[in-house]
Amino acid sequence: QLQASGGGLVQAGGSQTLSCAVSGSSFIINRIGWYRQTPGRERELVALFGRTHRDDIDYGDFAWGRFTISRDSTKNTATLRMNALKPEDTAIYYCYGNIYTPATGSTDYWGQGTQVTVSS
């Protein structure tokens, strides 16, 4: 239900854009955003819509001022724009959604991870 795109190799100081599309029928997106994970570490929040209220946005501490999440409700997509990338931003980035359907209720979904590698 979640399809991620974007990612790849970028030089330090560069930018990348990740997109996440939700597909299906008769659903409501409660929360949508991005998490990331590096080997040996727990998955951490990058940016998220709707943690408490639908239009609220949360960012990981490292993301403030550099990353921007946006949402297109008509297309059921969320986009993460990452600027001023640093080598420590290298990680697998996962699209996340908490999706409601009448059949399943509110359920957490994860897209396939996409690798972002920032070279120094």
Side-chain angles (χ1 to χ4, degrees):
Q1 261 190 320
L2 296 182
Q3 181 67 44
S5 61
L9 177 65
V10 64
Q11 289 189 331
S15 299
Q16 276 212 348
T17 299
L18 306 179
S19 295
C20 178
V22 181
S23 62
S25 60
S26 302
F27 63 85
I28 297 172
I29 299 173
N30 294 320
R31 297 187 293 275
I32 188 167
W34 294 88
Y35 286 74
R36 72 182 189 183
Q37 189 168 24
T38 55
R41 299 187 64 179
E42 292 187 357
R43 198 167 292 188
E44 63 179 346
L45 171 70
V46 179
L48 182 70
F49 271 106
R51 185 194 289 272
T52 52
H53 301 288
R54 185 177 186 274
D55 293 327
D56 288 352
I57 299 176
D58 286 295
Y59 289 101
D61 289 344
F62 59 87
W64 285 102
R66 297 190 299 129
F67 295 5
T68 302
I69 189 171
S70 60
R71 179 177 61 194
D72 186 335
S73 297
T74 63
K75 297 180 180 179
N76 295 312
T77 60
T79 299
L80 180 69
R81 176 66 175 177
M82 303 183 290
N83 295 322
L85 284 162
K86 306 174 182 179
E88 51 264 44
D89 293 317
T90 295
I92 298 175
Y93 285 69
Y94 294 92
C95 177
Y96 160 81
N98 181 272
I99 312 296
Y100 171 83
T101 71
T104 62
S106 294
T107 305
D108 288 337
Y109 293 91
W110 294 92
Q112 83 282 12
T114 184
Q115 178 72 46
V116 173
T117 302
V118 185
S119 63
S120 57

